[in-house]
Amino acid sequence: QKEVEQNSGPLSVPEGAIASLNCTYSDRGSQSFFWYRQYSGKSPELIMFIYSNGDKEDGRFTAQLNKASQYVSLLIRDSQPSDSATYLCAVRMIYTGTASKLTFGTGTRLQVTL
Amino acid sequence: KAGVTQTPRYLIKTRGQQVTLSCSPISGHRSVSWYQQTPGQGLQFLFEYFSETQRNKGNFPGRFSGRQFSNSRSEMNVSTLELGDSALYLCASSPRTSGSIGTGELFFGEGSRLTVL
């Protein structure tokens, strides 16, 4: 079982719709969860992170975390063609007071159609 | 504020050679992590450095090594290159401070794309 799993997509949504991106993780000790966006040929850029159960909103983006189900999602409201990219879910484990690691899923490709 | 700077951006090497990649973190960021990105495997963690010490290491062979300098700049080295080492190598910095593990946010550079022939 992969540590962080995402559907590779592509996920196709019409402009103006809500895009829902999902991610599951295997390690219950995971402590914080990140969403990154990566445009083709570019490096990942941080969208937002969440560490408590529930929802966290930032503009058109909402991250949702359910630790009991080991599930984290990202909702994009009013999807725009410029949102077309690969979305990477990342999970952070803290091993000691000085060491941590972010493990990434392989990403979901989102296509927003006109 | 300048972002994470990686050099060189592109390089071509042949099998058996070695390569050194450089990373300058965002000013004030003292933690640097390295990742390898390939189409099949996605982003794979190589190592994390903080205060010139390697804090964590991924599952890569000993041919992959790194270091961090007192100004937080970091280098990674790959010796005896293999065809499978062809990848985008990404450096990321994090606003971690002494006495704190930090929030874990990573800010990536544009990467160094290595092609091994």
Side-chain angles (χ1 to χ4, degrees):
Chain A
Q1 183 186 8
K2 289 184 180 179
E3 292 180 72
V4 182
E5 294 210 52
Q6 297 180 256
N7 188 315
S8 60
L11 173 66
S12 185
V13 299
E15 184 178 6
I18 296 175
S20 178
L21 302 155
N22 304 316
C23 171
T24 58
Y25 60 95
S26 60
D27 196 325
R28 287 194 172 276
S30 301
Q31 293 167 312
S32 45
F33 308 84
F34 299 77
W35 283 100
Y36 283 81
R37 176 175 63 197
Q38 187 172 24
Y39 292 111
S40 181
K42 298 293 187 181
S43 60
E45 56 179 327
L46 179 65
I47 298 172
M48 62 191 303
F49 68 94
I50 186 170
Y51 52 84
S52 297
N53 275 329
D55 295 359
K56 180 180 179 183
E57 187 174 317
D58 184 357
R60 294 188 297 114
F61 300 96
T62 298
Q64 299 177 315
L65 174 62
N66 184 325
K67 288 188 177 180
S69 300
Q70 295 176 246
Y71 178 93
V72 58
S73 64
L74 179 70
L75 301 178
I76 306 174
R77 288 181 300 281
D78 189 24
S79 295
Q80 300 297 310
S82 59
D83 294 327
S84 297
T86 296
Y87 288 80
L88 302 168
C89 171
V91 172
R92 188 188 193 204
M93 279 292 297
I94 297 175
Y95 296 100
T96 68
T98 61
S100 70
K101 181 177 82 169
L102 234 59
T103 300
F104 285 81
T106 51
T108 297
R109 190 157 63 93
L110 173 66
Q111 292 178 338
V112 181
T113 57
L114 296 173
Chain B
K1 204 181 227 184
V4 177
T5 303
Q6 291 188 246
T7 57
R9 291 290 314 279
Y10 302 92
L11 63 166
I12 300 174
K13 295 284 187 179
T14 57
R15 280 181 299 174
Q17 287 187 309
Q18 71 156 11
V19 65
T20 298
L21 309 177
S22 180
C23 172
S24 293
I26 293 171
S27 178
H29 287 193
R30 294 171 56 192
S31 173
V32 172
S33 298
W34 288 89
Y35 285 81
Q36 180 195 67
Q37 188 173 33
T38 58
Q41 298 295 317
L43 277 153
Q44 300 289 309
F45 174 73
L46 281 157
F47 15 69
E48 179 201 10
Y49 287 89
F50 177 73
S51 290
E52 302 175 66
T53 302
Q54 188 180 91
R55 303 293 177 164
N56 203 357
K57 188 178 190 306
N59 294 325
F60 279 83
R63 300 185 296 108
F64 292 80
S65 62
R67 58 178 175 168
Q68 186 181 34
F69 303 96
S70 59
N71 61 359
S72 297
R73 193 177 68 84
S74 178
E75 288 181 348
M76 68 164 282
N77 182 277
V78 188
S79 62
T80 319
L81 284 166
E82 300 177 358
L83 295 178
D85 297 333
S86 294
L88 179 66
Y89 289 89
L90 290 161
C91 168
S93 73
S94 184
R96 177 180 167 183
T97 58
S98 295
S100 167
I101 195 68
T103 57
E105 298 162 89
L106 295 181
F107 298 89
F108 285 90
E110 289 299 316
S112 293
R113 185 166 295 281
L114 170 65
T115 301
V116 182
L117 302 176

